[in-house]
């Protein structure tokens, strides 16, 4: 029995596709055969990405979406369903991260990170999940972090949001699996992207990261894409409610 990792013909709605992990992930998903519904606030970036995917022979459409706005989530899900006829996979990747000392966090910073990382993620899962439950099949993959599994200094709000993502993943997995919808999370270690570049380009910060990272180097977008493709593919069909760590062993200690 050969496991099937192909996403041929699968309609994937991907949030946070305009840069970083989402941008590279979109191309990797298209390479695995998926049709992409690309979502983020920066429409020009999504249009450029869609053009790149089409030039490589794939299928992609951009959708403006601020995940803090429930009405926009609803409209984006309806538009994807209208354009593609269904939603097979939702990758809830939009997210914010930054270093903040706990004693300095403001209410506005707390609200923004929670609104994007946790509340927005939940309501995207709810809106796409309703479509999937009606279809009788679907996969939801939430982008978490190792910071949702272990504490990381100066990440109080981020860790709380990603810990919330991990438990939301498990609850949705329990509620929806019998109706054909699996829900999992991918939890990467530090990945070099525009969102982390400023910190990882600082040699002192990078040394602090690598001191705690058994594998000795930060991760790549390809490492994250491999986990997402596995969970979205037929090969990942039995996996439900798991948080798949792609962390080079960070949480093994
Ligand atoms: P990034 O480079 O900062 O990109 C973030 C993405 O999220 C962008 O496409 C951004 O698009 C989108 N986004 C932000 N706010 C949004 C909003 N209100 N509505 C809709 N989209 C929004 O981040 P990244 O490093 O690629 O991270 C992607 C995901 O992986 C996040 O969930 C992050 O927590 C997680 N993660 C990252 C790392 C890492 O080291 N990079 C490690 C573990 C987990 P617009 O600005 O165009 O809206």
């Amino acid at each position: 029995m050969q496991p099937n990792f192909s996403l041929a013909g699968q309609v994937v709605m991907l949030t946070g596709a305009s840069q970083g992990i989402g941008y590279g992930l979109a191309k990797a998903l298209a390479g695995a055969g998926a049709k992409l519904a690309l979502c983020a606030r920066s429409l020009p970036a999504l249009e450029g990405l869609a053009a790149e995917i089409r030039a490589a022979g794939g299928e992609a459409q951009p959708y403006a979406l601020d995940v803090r706005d429930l009405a926009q989530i609803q409209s984006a899900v309806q538009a994807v369903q209208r354009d593609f006829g269904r939603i097979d996979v939702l990758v809830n990747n939009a997210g914010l991260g930054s270093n903040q000392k706990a004693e300095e966090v403001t209410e506005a910073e707390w609200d923004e990170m929670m609104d994007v990382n946790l509340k927005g993620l939940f309501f995207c899962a709810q809106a796409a999940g309703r479509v999937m439950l009606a279809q009788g099949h679907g996969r939801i993959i939430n982008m978490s972090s190792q910071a949702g599994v272990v504490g990381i200094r100066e990440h109080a709000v981020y860790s709380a949001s990603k810990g919330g993502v991990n438990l939301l993943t498990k609850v949705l997995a329990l509620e929806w699996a019998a109706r054909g919808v699996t829900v999992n999370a991918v939890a990467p270690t530090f990945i070099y992207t525009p969102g982390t570049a400023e910190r990882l380009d600082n040699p002192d910060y990078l040394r602090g990261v690598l001191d705690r990272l058994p594998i000795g180097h930060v991760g790549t977008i390809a490492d994250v894409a491999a986990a997402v493709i596995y969970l979205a593919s037929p090969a990942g069909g039995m996996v439900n409610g798991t948080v798949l760590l792609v962390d080079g062993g960070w949480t093994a200690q």
Side-chain angles (χ1 to χ4, degrees), residues 69-153:
D69 182 334
L70 270 60
Q72 285 191 34
I73 293 174
Q74 212 50 52
S75 311
V77 165
Q78 278 168 7
V80 175
Q81 212 187 358
R82 179 196 66 217
D83 295 346
F84 289 93
R86 60 183 200 282
I87 304 173
D88 299 309
V89 180
L90 168 70
V91 183
N92 251 326
N93 168 72
L96 305 173
S98 63
N99 277 53
Q100 303 156 300
K101 292 186 193 317
E103 66 272 27
E104 291 171 5
V105 172
T106 65
E107 185 181 12
E109 287 165 345
W110 170 279
D111 286 345
E112 194 192 11
M113 202 172 281
M114 285 296 181
D115 282 353
V116 176
N117 292 7
L118 191 53
K119 183 179 172 189
L121 176 140
F122 173 74
F123 283 101
C124 286
Q126 185 193 62
R130 285 174 177 154
V131 172
M132 293 173 179
L133 291 168
Q135 293 168 170
H137 76 270
R139 301 275 174 90
I140 296 177
I141 300 160
N142 295 323
M143 198 58 71
S144 180
S145 164
Q146 62 185 11
V149 177
V150 294
I152 298 184
R153 287 173 185 79

Side-chain angles (χ1 to χ4, degrees), residues 16-22 40-42 65-68 93-96 116 143-145 158 162 188-191 193-196:
S18 62
Q19 66 167 47
I21 291 174
R41 290 168 303 175
S42 317
L65 170 60
D66 185 331
V67 301
R68 295 169 299 181
N93 168 72
L96 305 173
V116 176
M143 198 58 71
S144 180
S145 164
Y158 185 74
K162 296 298 187 180
T189 186
F190 286 88
I191 307 292
T193 68
T196 54

